[in-house]
PDB file of all heavy atoms in Angstrom:
ATOM      1  N   TYR M   1       0.857  -1.196   0.000  1.00  0.00           N
ATOM      2  CA  TYR M   1       0.000   0.000   0.000  1.00  0.00           C
ATOM      3  C   TYR M   1       0.892   1.244   0.000  1.00  0.00           C
ATOM      4  O   TYR M   1       0.689   2.170  -0.761  1.00  0.00           O
ATOM      5  CB  TYR M   1      -0.908  -0.020   1.239  1.00  0.00           C
ATOM      6  CG  TYR M   1      -1.646   1.267   1.462  1.00  0.00           C
ATOM      7  CD1 TYR M   1      -2.759   1.588   0.687  1.00  0.00           C
ATOM      8  CD2 TYR M   1      -1.240   2.160   2.452  1.00  0.00           C
ATOM      9  CE1 TYR M   1      -3.439   2.784   0.888  1.00  0.00           C
ATOM     10  CE2 TYR M   1      -1.915   3.349   2.665  1.00  0.00           C
ATOM     11  CZ  TYR M   1      -3.016   3.659   1.873  1.00  0.00           C
ATOM     12  OH  TYR M   1      -3.686   4.840   2.068  1.00  0.00           O
ATOM     13  N   ASP M   2       1.884   1.234   0.883  1.00  0.00           N
ATOM     14  CA  ASP M   2       2.821   2.359   0.983  1.00  0.00           C
ATOM     15  C   ASP M   2       4.111   1.978   0.266  1.00  0.00           C
ATOM     16  O   ASP M   2       4.832   1.086   0.720  1.00  0.00           O
ATOM     17  CB  ASP M   2       3.105   2.663   2.461  1.00  0.00           C
ATOM     18  CG  ASP M   2       4.054   3.844   2.643  1.00  0.00           C
ATOM     19  OD1 ASP M   2       4.566   4.367   1.626  1.00  0.00           O
ATOM     20  OD2 ASP M   2       4.294   4.245   3.802  1.00  0.00           O
ATOM     21  N   PRO M   3       4.421   2.655  -0.863  1.00  0.00           N
ATOM     22  CA  PRO M   3       5.624   2.293  -1.631  1.00  0.00           C
ATOM     23  C   PRO M   3       6.911   2.329  -0.803  1.00  0.00           C
ATOM     24  O   PRO M   3       7.875   1.637  -1.116  1.00  0.00           O
ATOM     25  CB  PRO M   3       5.687   3.356  -2.738  1.00  0.00           C
ATOM     26  CG  PRO M   3       4.359   4.009  -2.766  1.00  0.00           C
ATOM     27  CD  PRO M   3       3.706   3.789  -1.432  1.00  0.00           C
ATOM     28  N   LYS M   4       6.900   3.116   0.294  1.00  0.00           N
ATOM     29  CA  LYS M   4       8.118   3.217   1.129  1.00  0.00           C
ATOM     30  C   LYS M   4       8.468   1.875   1.777  1.00  0.00           C
ATOM     31  O   LYS M   4       9.602   1.654   2.209  1.00  0.00           O
ATOM     32  CB  LYS M   4       7.939   4.277   2.215  1.00  0.00           C
ATOM     33  CG  LYS M   4       7.901   5.695   1.704  1.00  0.00           C
ATOM     34  CD  LYS M   4       8.057   6.675   2.881  1.00  0.00           C
ATOM     35  CE  LYS M   4       7.606   8.079   2.518  1.00  0.00           C
ATOM     36  NZ  LYS M   4       6.127   8.198   2.464  1.00  0.00           N
ATOM     37  N   THR M   5       7.491   0.973   1.882  1.00  0.00           N
ATOM     38  CA  THR M   5       7.755  -0.359   2.458  1.00  0.00           C
ATOM     39  C   THR M   5       8.743  -1.122   1.580  1.00  0.00           C
ATOM     40  O   THR M   5       9.459  -2.004   2.056  1.00  0.00           O
ATOM     41  CB  THR M   5       6.437  -1.160   2.606  1.00  0.00           C
ATOM     42  OG1 THR M   5       5.457  -0.313   3.208  1.00  0.00           O
ATOM     43  CG2 THR M   5       6.616  -2.387   3.479  1.00  0.00           C
ATOM     44  N   ALA M   6       8.780  -0.771   0.289  1.00  0.00           N
ATOM     45  CA  ALA M   6       9.734  -1.409  -0.639  1.00  0.00           C
ATOM     46  C   ALA M   6      11.091  -0.732  -0.467  1.00  0.00           C
ATOM     47  O   ALA M   6      11.471   0.166  -1.217  1.00  0.00           O
ATOM     48  CB  ALA M   6       9.238  -1.271  -2.078  1.00  0.00           C
ATOM     49  N   THR M   7      11.826  -1.161   0.539  1.00  0.00           N
ATOM     50  CA  THR M   7      13.130  -0.566   0.833  1.00  0.00           C
ATOM     51  C   THR M   7      14.123  -0.872  -0.294  1.00  0.00           C
ATOM     52  O   THR M   7      13.910  -1.795  -1.091  1.00  0.00           O
ATOM     53  CB  THR M   7      13.704  -1.158   2.135  1.00  0.00           C
ATOM     54  OG1 THR M   7      13.827  -2.582   1.944  1.00  0.00           O
ATOM     55  CG2 THR M   7      12.808  -0.880   3.323  1.00  0.00           C
ATOM     56  N   LYS M   8      15.204  -0.104  -0.322  1.00  0.00           N
ATOM     57  CA  LYS M   8      16.240  -0.333  -1.346  1.00  0.00           C
ATOM     58  C   LYS M   8      16.788  -1.757  -1.222  1.00  0.00           C
ATOM     59  O   LYS M   8      17.002  -2.442  -2.227  1.00  0.00           O
ATOM     60  CB  LYS M   8      17.369   0.687  -1.199  1.00  0.00           C
ATOM     61  CG  LYS M   8      18.410   0.533  -2.307  1.00  0.00           C
ATOM     62  CD  LYS M   8      19.463   1.612  -2.287  1.00  0.00           C
ATOM     63  CE  LYS M   8      20.397   1.475  -3.478  1.00  0.00           C
ATOM     64  NZ  LYS M   8      20.963   0.143  -3.687  1.00  0.00           N
ATOM     65  N   GLU M   9      16.941  -2.211  -0.001  1.00  0.00           N
ATOM     66  CA  GLU M   9      17.453  -3.578   0.249  1.00  0.00           C
ATOM     67  C   GLU M   9      16.530  -4.631  -0.396  1.00  0.00           C
ATOM     68  O   GLU M   9      16.981  -5.576  -1.036  1.00  0.00           O
ATOM     69  CB  GLU M   9      17.543  -3.799   1.758  1.00  0.00           C
ATOM     70  CG  GLU M   9      18.177  -5.115   2.150  1.00  0.00           C
ATOM     71  CD  GLU M   9      18.121  -5.353   3.662  1.00  0.00           C
ATOM     72  OE1 GLU M   9      17.520  -4.532   4.397  1.00  0.00           O
ATOM     73  OE2 GLU M   9      18.667  -6.381   4.092  1.00  0.00           O
ATOM     74  N   LEU M  10      15.221  -4.419  -0.220  1.00  0.00           N
ATOM     75  CA  LEU M  10      14.235  -5.349  -0.775  1.00  0.00           C
ATOM     76  C   LEU M  10      14.262  -5.314  -2.307  1.00  0.00           C
ATOM     77  O   LEU M  10      14.267  -6.357  -2.967  1.00  0.00           O
ATOM     78  CB  LEU M  10      12.847  -4.963  -0.256  1.00  0.00           C
ATOM     79  CG  LEU M  10      11.713  -5.962  -0.418  1.00  0.00           C
ATOM     80  CD1 LEU M  10      12.032  -7.285   0.252  1.00  0.00           C
ATOM     81  CD2 LEU M  10      10.427  -5.379   0.169  1.00  0.00           C
ATOM     82  N   VAL M  11      14.288  -4.104  -2.876  1.00  0.00           N
ATOM     83  CA  VAL M  11      14.314  -3.960  -4.345  1.00  0.00           C
ATOM     84  C   VAL M  11      15.606  -4.561  -4.909  1.00  0.00           C
ATOM     85  O   VAL M  11      15.576  -5.287  -5.912  1.00  0.00           O
ATOM     86  CB  VAL M  11      14.162  -2.478  -4.764  1.00  0.00           C
ATOM     87  CG1 VAL M  11      14.284  -2.330  -6.282  1.00  0.00           C
ATOM     88  CG2 VAL M  11      12.824  -1.909  -4.286  1.00  0.00           C
ATOM     89  N   ASP M  12      16.726  -4.299  -4.246  1.00  0.00           N
ATOM     90  CA  ASP M  12      18.020  -4.863  -4.690  1.00  0.00           C
ATOM     91  C   ASP M  12      17.959  -6.386  -4.730  1.00  0.00           C
ATOM     92  O   ASP M  12      18.448  -7.022  -5.662  1.00  0.00           O
ATOM     93  CB  ASP M  12      19.147  -4.455  -3.726  1.00  0.00           C
ATOM     94  CG  ASP M  12      19.546  -2.993  -3.875  1.00  0.00           C
ATOM     95  OD1 ASP M  12      19.072  -2.344  -4.838  1.00  0.00           O
ATOM     96  OD2 ASP M  12      20.323  -2.500  -3.040  1.00  0.00           O
ATOM     97  N   ASP M  13      17.346  -6.950  -3.700  1.00  0.00           N
ATOM     98  CA  ASP M  13      17.257  -8.406  -3.579  1.00  0.00           C
ATOM     99  C   ASP M  13      16.427  -9.000  -4.723  1.00  0.00           C
ATOM    100  O   ASP M  13      16.822  -9.973  -5.366  1.00  0.00           O
ATOM    101  CB  ASP M  13      16.633  -8.744  -2.221  1.00  0.00           C
ATOM    102  CG  ASP M  13      16.780 -10.218  -1.877  1.00  0.00           C
ATOM    103  OD1 ASP M  13      17.851 -10.782  -2.180  1.00  0.00           O
ATOM    104  OD2 ASP M  13      15.836 -10.790  -1.321  1.00  0.00           O
ATOM    105  N   VAL M  14      15.275  -8.385  -5.010  1.00  0.00           N
ATOM    106  CA  VAL M  14      14.413  -8.870  -6.095  1.00  0.00           C
ATOM    107  C   VAL M  14      15.105  -8.667  -7.445  1.00  0.00           C
ATOM    108  O   VAL M  14      15.073  -9.547  -8.319  1.00  0.00           O
ATOM    109  CB  VAL M  14      13.032  -8.165  -6.066  1.00  0.00           C
ATOM    110  CG1 VAL M  14      12.201  -8.529  -7.292  1.00  0.00           C
ATOM    111  CG2 VAL M  14      12.273  -8.544  -4.794  1.00  0.00           C
ATOM    112  N   PHE M  15      15.753  -7.515  -7.602  1.00  0.00           N
ATOM    113  CA  PHE M  15      16.456  -7.221  -8.865  1.00  0.00           C
ATOM    114  C   PHE M  15      17.533  -8.276  -9.141  1.00  0.00           C
ATOM    115  O   PHE M  15      17.638  -8.808 -10.246  1.00  0.00           O
ATOM    116  CB  PHE M  15      17.091  -5.825  -8.790  1.00  0.00           C
ATOM    117  CG  PHE M  15      17.782  -5.403 -10.049  1.00  0.00           C
ATOM    118  CD1 PHE M  15      17.048  -5.020 -11.166  1.00  0.00           C
ATOM    119  CD2 PHE M  15      19.173  -5.392 -10.135  1.00  0.00           C
ATOM    120  CE1 PHE M  15      17.685  -4.633 -12.346  1.00  0.00           C
ATOM    121  CE2 PHE M  15      19.811  -5.010 -11.307  1.00  0.00           C
ATOM    122  CZ  PHE M  15      19.061  -4.628 -12.416  1.00  0.00           C
ATOM    123  N   GLN M  16      18.272  -8.597  -8.113  1.00  0.00           N
ATOM    124  CA  GLN M  16      19.330  -9.607  -8.244  1.00  0.00           C
ATOM    125  C   GLN M  16      18.734 -10.978  -8.586  1.00  0.00           C
ATOM    126  O   GLN M  16      19.222 -11.688  -9.464  1.00  0.00           O
ATOM    127  CB  GLN M  16      20.094  -9.682  -6.918  1.00  0.00           C
ATOM    128  CG  GLN M  16      21.348 -10.531  -6.981  1.00  0.00           C
ATOM    129  CD  GLN M  16      22.046 -10.587  -5.618  1.00  0.00           C
ATOM    130  OE1 GLN M  16      21.677  -9.893  -4.675  1.00  0.00           O
ATOM    131  NE2 GLN M  16      23.056 -11.417  -5.516  1.00  0.00           N
ATOM    132  N   THR M  17      17.633 -11.309  -7.904  1.00  0.00           N
ATOM    133  CA  THR M  17      16.980 -12.613  -8.119  1.00  0.00           C
ATOM    134  C   THR M  17      16.492 -12.763  -9.551  1.00  0.00           C
ATOM    135  O   THR M  17      16.742 -13.775 -10.201  1.00  0.00           O
ATOM    136  CB  THR M  17      15.787 -12.776  -7.139  1.00  0.00           C
ATOM    137  OG1 THR M  17      16.319 -12.809  -5.817  1.00  0.00           O
ATOM    138  CG2 THR M  17      15.015 -14.050  -7.401  1.00  0.00           C
ATOM    139  N   ILE M  18      15.797 -11.747 -10.061  1.00  0.00           N
ATOM    140  CA  ILE M  18      15.184 -11.924 -11.384  1.00  0.00           C
ATOM    141  C   ILE M  18      16.172 -11.670 -12.527  1.00  0.00           C
ATOM    142  O   ILE M  18      15.829 -11.847 -13.692  1.00  0.00           O
ATOM    143  CB  ILE M  18      13.892 -11.095 -11.561  1.00  0.00           C
ATOM    144  CG1 ILE M  18      14.179  -9.603 -11.554  1.00  0.00           C
ATOM    145  CG2 ILE M  18      12.845 -11.478 -10.526  1.00  0.00           C
ATOM    146  CD1 ILE M  18      12.976  -8.770 -11.926  1.00  0.00           C
ATOM    147  N   ASN M  19      17.388 -11.268 -12.181  1.00  0.00           N
ATOM    148  CA  ASN M  19      18.419 -11.180 -13.217  1.00  0.00           C
ATOM    149  C   ASN M  19      19.380 -12.366 -13.176  1.00  0.00           C
ATOM    150  O   ASN M  19      20.414 -12.374 -13.830  1.00  0.00           O
ATOM    151  CB  ASN M  19      19.156  -9.841 -13.126  1.00  0.00           C
ATOM    152  CG  ASN M  19      18.354  -8.744 -13.807  1.00  0.00           C
ATOM    153  OD1 ASN M  19      18.303  -8.671 -15.027  1.00  0.00           O
ATOM    154  ND2 ASN M  19      17.672  -7.935 -13.024  1.00  0.00           N
ATOM    155  N   ASP M  20      18.998 -13.374 -12.399  1.00  0.00           N
ATOM    156  CA  ASP M  20      19.720 -14.644 -12.374  1.00  0.00           C
ATOM    157  C   ASP M  20      18.894 -15.610 -13.223  1.00  0.00           C
ATOM    158  O   ASP M  20      17.765 -15.950 -12.877  1.00  0.00           O
ATOM    159  CB  ASP M  20      19.809 -15.113 -10.912  1.00  0.00           C
ATOM    160  CG  ASP M  20      20.439 -16.485 -10.760  1.00  0.00           C
ATOM    161  OD1 ASP M  20      20.183 -17.364 -11.608  1.00  0.00           O
ATOM    162  OD2 ASP M  20      21.162 -16.686  -9.771  1.00  0.00           O
ATOM    163  N   ARG M  21      19.448 -16.043 -14.365  1.00  0.00           N
ATOM    164  CA  ARG M  21      18.665 -16.818 -15.330  1.00  0.00           C
ATOM    165  C   ARG M  21      18.058 -18.084 -14.704  1.00  0.00           C
ATOM    166  O   ARG M  21      16.893 -18.396 -14.890  1.00  0.00           O
ATOM    167  CB  ARG M  21      19.550 -17.187 -16.526  1.00  0.00           C
ATOM    168  CG  ARG M  21      18.748 -17.783 -17.665  1.00  0.00           C
ATOM    169  CD  ARG M  21      19.557 -17.916 -18.954  1.00  0.00           C
ATOM    170  NE  ARG M  21      18.723 -18.581 -19.951  1.00  0.00           N
ATOM    171  CZ  ARG M  21      18.553 -19.882 -20.029  1.00  0.00           C
ATOM    172  NH1 ARG M  21      19.140 -20.692 -19.152  1.00  0.00           N
ATOM    173  NH2 ARG M  21      17.769 -20.416 -20.955  1.00  0.00           N
ATOM    174  N   ASN M  22      18.855 -18.798 -13.932  1.00  0.00           N
ATOM    175  CA  ASN M  22      18.401 -20.027 -13.282  1.00  0.00           C
ATOM    176  C   ASN M  22      17.200 -19.751 -12.374  1.00  0.00           C
ATOM    177  O   ASN M  22      16.217 -20.490 -12.361  1.00  0.00           O
ATOM    178  CB  ASN M  22      19.571 -20.614 -12.471  1.00  0.00           C
ATOM    179  CG  ASN M  22      19.136 -21.764 -11.589  1.00  0.00           C
ATOM    180  OD1 ASN M  22      18.555 -22.723 -12.063  1.00  0.00           O
ATOM    181  ND2 ASN M  22      19.400 -21.659 -10.296  1.00  0.00           N
ATOM    182  N   ARG M  23      17.287 -18.632 -11.655  1.00  0.00           N
ATOM    183  CA  ARG M  23      16.203 -18.310 -10.713  1.00  0.00           C
ATOM    184  C   ARG M  23      14.948 -17.837 -11.441  1.00  0.00           C
ATOM    185  O   ARG M  23      13.843 -18.218 -11.084  1.00  0.00           O
ATOM    186  CB  ARG M  23      16.672 -17.235  -9.720  1.00  0.00           C
ATOM    187  CG  ARG M  23      17.675 -17.783  -8.734  1.00  0.00           C
ATOM    188  CD  ARG M  23      18.013 -16.798  -7.647  1.00  0.00           C
ATOM    189  NE  ARG M  23      18.671 -17.492  -6.549  1.00  0.00           N
ATOM    190  CZ  ARG M  23      18.655 -17.093  -5.288  1.00  0.00           C
ATOM    191  NH1 ARG M  23      18.019 -15.997  -4.959  1.00  0.00           N
ATOM    192  NH2 ARG M  23      19.265 -17.783  -4.352  1.00  0.00           N
ATOM    193  N   VAL M  24      15.130 -16.994 -12.443  1.00  0.00           N
ATOM    194  CA  VAL M  24      13.951 -16.429 -13.107  1.00  0.00           C
ATOM    195  C   VAL M  24      13.157 -17.518 -13.828  1.00  0.00           C
ATOM    196  O   VAL M  24      11.922 -17.502 -13.852  1.00  0.00           O
ATOM    197  CB  VAL M  24      14.330 -15.252 -14.041  1.00  0.00           C
ATOM    198  CG1 VAL M  24      14.776 -15.698 -15.424  1.00  0.00           C
ATOM    199  CG2 VAL M  24      13.150 -14.306 -14.184  1.00  0.00           C
ATOM    200  N   ILE M  25      13.838 -18.500 -14.394  1.00  0.00           N
ATOM    201  CA  ILE M  25      13.146 -19.612 -15.067  1.00  0.00           C
ATOM    202  C   ILE M  25      12.272 -20.353 -14.050  1.00  0.00           C
ATOM    203  O   ILE M  25      11.126 -20.712 -14.324  1.00  0.00           O
ATOM    204  CB  ILE M  25      14.178 -20.583 -15.722  1.00  0.00           C
ATOM    205  CG1 ILE M  25      14.790 -19.935 -16.964  1.00  0.00           C
ATOM    206  CG2 ILE M  25      13.533 -21.913 -16.093  1.00  0.00           C
ATOM    207  CD1 ILE M  25      15.998 -20.685 -17.507  1.00  0.00           C
ATOM    208  N   ARG M  26      12.810 -20.555 -12.850  1.00  0.00           N
ATOM    209  CA  ARG M  26      12.053 -21.274 -11.820  1.00  0.00           C
ATOM    210  C   ARG M  26      10.918 -20.427 -11.245  1.00  0.00           C
ATOM    211  O   ARG M  26       9.849 -20.953 -10.919  1.00  0.00           O
ATOM    212  CB  ARG M  26      13.008 -21.765 -10.727  1.00  0.00           C
ATOM    213  CG  ARG M  26      13.689 -23.049 -11.168  1.00  0.00           C
ATOM    214  CD  ARG M  26      14.932 -23.416 -10.397  1.00  0.00           C
ATOM    215  NE  ARG M  26      15.440 -24.678 -10.899  1.00  0.00           N
ATOM    216  CZ  ARG M  26      16.144 -24.817 -12.035  1.00  0.00           C
ATOM    217  NH1 ARG M  26      16.408 -23.740 -12.782  1.00  0.00           N
ATOM    218  NH2 ARG M  26      16.566 -26.001 -12.427  1.00  0.00           N
ATOM    219  N   ILE M  27      11.148 -19.141 -11.127  1.00  0.00           N
ATOM    220  CA  ILE M  27      10.072 -18.252 -10.664  1.00  0.00           C
ATOM    221  C   ILE M  27       8.891 -18.317 -11.628  1.00  0.00           C
ATOM    222  O   ILE M  27       7.732 -18.448 -11.228  1.00  0.00           O
ATOM    223  CB  ILE M  27      10.582 -16.791 -10.538  1.00  0.00           C
ATOM    224  CG1 ILE M  27      11.481 -16.663  -9.302  1.00  0.00           C
ATOM    225  CG2 ILE M  27       9.420 -15.803 -10.442  1.00  0.00           C
ATOM    226  CD1 ILE M  27      12.236 -15.360  -9.219  1.00  0.00           C
ATOM    227  N   LEU M  28       9.195 -18.251 -12.925  1.00  0.00           N
ATOM    228  CA  LEU M  28       8.123 -18.297 -13.930  1.00  0.00           C
ATOM    229  C   LEU M  28       7.423 -19.657 -13.913  1.00  0.00           C
ATOM    230  O   LEU M  28       6.196 -19.740 -14.014  1.00  0.00           O
ATOM    231  CB  LEU M  28       8.675 -17.978 -15.325  1.00  0.00           C
ATOM    232  CG  LEU M  28       9.196 -16.546 -15.492  1.00  0.00           C
ATOM    233  CD1 LEU M  28       9.854 -16.363 -16.850  1.00  0.00           C
ATOM    234  CD2 LEU M  28       8.066 -15.538 -15.329  1.00  0.00           C
ATOM    235  N   ALA M  29       8.213 -20.731 -13.771  1.00  0.00           N
ATOM    236  CA  ALA M  29       7.624 -22.080 -13.712  1.00  0.00           C
ATOM    237  C   ALA M  29       6.717 -22.207 -12.485  1.00  0.00           C
ATOM    238  O   ALA M  29       5.619 -22.765 -12.562  1.00  0.00           O
ATOM    239  CB  ALA M  29       8.733 -23.131 -13.665  1.00  0.00           C
ATOM    240  N   MET M  30       7.173 -21.665 -11.362  1.00  0.00           N
ATOM    241  CA  MET M  30       6.388 -21.737 -10.122  1.00  0.00           C
ATOM    242  C   MET M  30       5.111 -20.897 -10.248  1.00  0.00           C
ATOM    243  O   MET M  30       4.025 -21.328  -9.843  1.00  0.00           O
ATOM    244  CB  MET M  30       7.242 -21.232  -8.945  1.00  0.00           C
ATOM    245  CG  MET M  30       6.678 -21.537  -7.589  1.00  0.00           C
ATOM    246  SD  MET M  30       6.525 -23.309  -7.232  1.00  0.00           S
ATOM    247  CE  MET M  30       8.228 -23.741  -6.854  1.00  0.00           C
ATOM    248  N   ALA M  31       5.234 -19.714 -10.837  1.00  0.00           N
ATOM    249  CA  ALA M  31       4.066 -18.841 -11.008  1.00  0.00           C
ATOM    250  C   ALA M  31       3.030 -19.515 -11.914  1.00  0.00           C
ATOM    251  O   ALA M  31       1.831 -19.481 -11.640  1.00  0.00           O
ATOM    252  CB  ALA M  31       4.502 -17.498 -11.584  1.00  0.00           C
ATOM    253  N   LYS M  32       3.511 -20.155 -12.975  1.00  0.00           N
ATOM    254  CA  LYS M  32       2.580 -20.839 -13.901  1.00  0.00           C
ATOM    255  C   LYS M  32       1.910 -22.024 -13.201  1.00  0.00           C
ATOM    256  O   LYS M  32       0.724 -22.285 -13.383  1.00  0.00           O
ATOM    257  CB  LYS M  32       3.316 -21.301 -15.160  1.00  0.00           C
ATOM    258  CG  LYS M  32       3.558 -20.136 -16.118  1.00  0.00           C
ATOM    259  CD  LYS M  32       4.407 -20.532 -17.307  1.00  0.00           C
ATOM    260  CE  LYS M  32       4.669 -19.308 -18.180  1.00  0.00           C
ATOM    261  NZ  LYS M  32       5.781 -19.504 -19.109  1.00  0.00           N
ATOM    262  N   SER M  33       2.681 -22.739 -12.396  1.00  0.00           N
ATOM    263  CA  SER M  33       2.136 -23.871 -11.640  1.00  0.00           C
ATOM    264  C   SER M  33       1.032 -23.385 -10.695  1.00  0.00           C
ATOM    265  O   SER M  33      -0.016 -24.010 -10.564  1.00  0.00           O
ATOM    266  CB  SER M  33       3.250 -24.552 -10.849  1.00  0.00           C
ATOM    267  OG  SER M  33       2.738 -25.269  -9.756  1.00  0.00           O
ATOM    268  N   ALA M  34       1.259 -22.249 -10.058  1.00  0.00           N
ATOM    269  CA  ALA M  34       0.272 -21.697  -9.116  1.00  0.00           C
ATOM    270  C   ALA M  34      -1.020 -21.322  -9.853  1.00  0.00           C
ATOM    271  O   ALA M  34      -2.123 -21.581  -9.363  1.00  0.00           O
ATOM    272  CB  ALA M  34       0.856 -20.480  -8.401  1.00  0.00           C
ATOM    273  N   ILE M  35      -0.881 -20.739 -11.042  1.00  0.00           N
ATOM    274  CA  ILE M  35      -2.067 -20.353 -11.823  1.00  0.00           C
ATOM    275  C   ILE M  35      -2.842 -21.598 -12.257  1.00  0.00           C
ATOM    276  O   ILE M  35      -4.067 -21.657 -12.175  1.00  0.00           O
ATOM    277  CB  ILE M  35      -1.651 -19.485 -13.037  1.00  0.00           C
ATOM    278  CG1 ILE M  35      -1.160 -18.113 -12.544  1.00  0.00           C
ATOM    279  CG2 ILE M  35      -2.807 -19.310 -14.025  1.00  0.00           C
ATOM    280  CD1 ILE M  35      -0.325 -17.344 -13.555  1.00  0.00           C
ATOM    281  N   ARG M  36      -2.100 -22.616 -12.695  1.00  0.00           N
ATOM    282  CA  ARG M  36      -2.743 -23.867 -13.151  1.00  0.00           C
ATOM    283  C   ARG M  36      -3.466 -24.580 -12.009  1.00  0.00           C
ATOM    284  O   ARG M  36      -4.485 -25.208 -12.193  1.00  0.00           O
ATOM    285  CB  ARG M  36      -1.691 -24.835 -13.717  1.00  0.00           C
ATOM    286  CG  ARG M  36      -1.297 -24.580 -15.150  1.00  0.00           C
ATOM    287  CD  ARG M  36      -0.604 -25.811 -15.742  1.00  0.00           C
ATOM    288  NE  ARG M  36       0.472 -26.329 -14.914  1.00  0.00           N
ATOM    289  CZ  ARG M  36       1.738 -25.946 -14.972  1.00  0.00           C
ATOM    290  NH1 ARG M  36       2.106 -25.015 -15.832  1.00  0.00           N
ATOM    291  NH2 ARG M  36       2.654 -26.484 -14.200  1.00  0.00           N
ATOM    292  N   HIS M  37      -2.882 -24.486 -10.817  1.00  0.00           N
ATOM    293  CA  HIS M  37      -3.385 -25.272  -9.693  1.00  0.00           C
ATOM    294  C   HIS M  37      -4.419 -24.462  -8.919  1.00  0.00           C
ATOM    295  O   HIS M  37      -4.195 -24.051  -7.782  1.00  0.00           O
ATOM    296  CB  HIS M  37      -2.218 -25.683  -8.792  1.00  0.00           C
ATOM    297  CG  HIS M  37      -2.541 -26.866  -7.941  1.00  0.00           C
ATOM    298  ND1 HIS M  37      -2.296 -28.159  -8.333  1.00  0.00           N
ATOM    299  CD2 HIS M  37      -3.139 -26.957  -6.732  1.00  0.00           C
ATOM    300  CE1 HIS M  37      -2.719 -28.984  -7.392  1.00  0.00           C
ATOM    301  NE2 HIS M  37      -3.230 -28.274  -6.403  1.00  0.00           N
ATOM    302  N   ASN M  38      -5.574 -24.230  -9.534  1.00  0.00           N
ATOM    303  CA  ASN M  38      -6.640 -23.466  -8.885  1.00  0.00           C
ATOM    304  C   ASN M  38      -7.336 -24.359  -7.847  1.00  0.00           C
ATOM    305  O   ASN M  38      -7.661 -25.511  -8.124  1.00  0.00           O
ATOM    306  CB  ASN M  38      -7.635 -22.979  -9.940  1.00  0.00           C
ATOM    307  CG  ASN M  38      -8.650 -22.028  -9.345  1.00  0.00           C
ATOM    308  OD1 ASN M  38      -9.532 -22.433  -8.600  1.00  0.00           O
ATOM    309  ND2 ASN M  38      -8.526 -20.760  -9.665  1.00  0.00           N
ATOM    310  N   MET M  39      -7.570 -23.809  -6.676  1.00  0.00           N
ATOM    311  CA  MET M  39      -8.043 -24.614  -5.541  1.00  0.00           C
ATOM    312  C   MET M  39      -9.564 -24.578  -5.340  1.00  0.00           C
ATOM    313  O   MET M  39     -10.073 -25.223  -4.423  1.00  0.00           O
ATOM    314  CB  MET M  39      -7.392 -24.098  -4.245  1.00  0.00           C
ATOM    315  CG  MET M  39      -5.892 -24.020  -4.251  1.00  0.00           C
ATOM    316  SD  MET M  39      -5.114 -25.639  -4.242  1.00  0.00           S
ATOM    317  CE  MET M  39      -5.566 -26.255  -2.638  1.00  0.00           C
ATOM    318  N   ALA M  40     -10.279 -23.809  -6.154  1.00  0.00           N
ATOM    319  CA  ALA M  40     -11.701 -23.537  -5.889  1.00  0.00           C
ATOM    320  C   ALA M  40     -12.517 -24.804  -5.610  1.00  0.00           C
ATOM    321  O   ALA M  40     -13.334 -24.835  -4.688  1.00  0.00           O
ATOM    322  CB  ALA M  40     -12.314 -22.754  -7.043  1.00  0.00           C
ATOM    323  N   LYS M  41     -12.292 -25.865  -6.403  1.00  0.00           N
ATOM    324  CA  LYS M  41     -13.126 -27.076  -6.276  1.00  0.00           C
ATOM    325  C   LYS M  41     -12.795 -27.896  -5.022  1.00  0.00           C
ATOM    326  O   LYS M  41     -13.569 -28.764  -4.626  1.00  0.00           O
ATOM    327  CB  LYS M  41     -12.935 -27.975  -7.513  1.00  0.00           C
ATOM    328  CG  LYS M  41     -13.507 -27.390  -8.796  1.00  0.00           C
ATOM    329  CD  LYS M  41     -13.530 -28.461  -9.891  1.00  0.00           C
ATOM    330  CE  LYS M  41     -13.986 -27.897 -11.221  1.00  0.00           C
ATOM    331  NZ  LYS M  41     -12.909 -27.156 -11.911  1.00  0.00           N
ATOM    332  N   ASP M  42     -11.645 -27.638  -4.427  1.00  0.00           N
ATOM    333  CA  ASP M  42     -11.202 -28.474  -3.288  1.00  0.00           C
ATOM    334  C   ASP M  42     -11.373 -27.816  -1.926  1.00  0.00           C
ATOM    335  O   ASP M  42     -11.234 -28.488  -0.894  1.00  0.00           O
ATOM    336  CB  ASP M  42      -9.714 -28.831  -3.464  1.00  0.00           C
ATOM    337  CG  ASP M  42      -9.490 -29.741  -4.657  1.00  0.00           C
ATOM    338  OD1 ASP M  42     -10.272 -30.689  -4.822  1.00  0.00           O
ATOM    339  OD2 ASP M  42      -8.544 -29.490  -5.426  1.00  0.00           O
TER     340      ASP M  42
END
């Protein structure tokens, strides 16, 4: 809600993570898995 909560340390950490090819591929795979695995019926 408050952009100030996104500290430089936090932004640096995410920036580093998503610029690591191995990590970004897995983040995308995990995000797609989460979208596919809808829980509504269970």
Side-chain angles (χ1 to χ4, degrees):
Y1 170 77
D2 181 355
K4 290 193 198 75
T5 313
T7 59
K8 184 174 185 310
E9 186 186 4
L10 194 58
V11 176
D12 286 351
D13 193 39
V14 173
F15 182 74
Q16 189 181 352
T17 295
I18 66 172
N19 279 285
D20 175 322
R21 190 169 176 278
N22 171 55
R23 289 187 164 207
V24 84
I25 287 169
R26 279 162 178 78
I27 286 169
L28 294 174
M30 193 62 77
K32 282 174 183 163
S33 157
I35 290 162
R36 277 197 310 271
H37 201 91
N38 188 288
M39 306 290 293
K41 291 192 185 79
D42 293 316

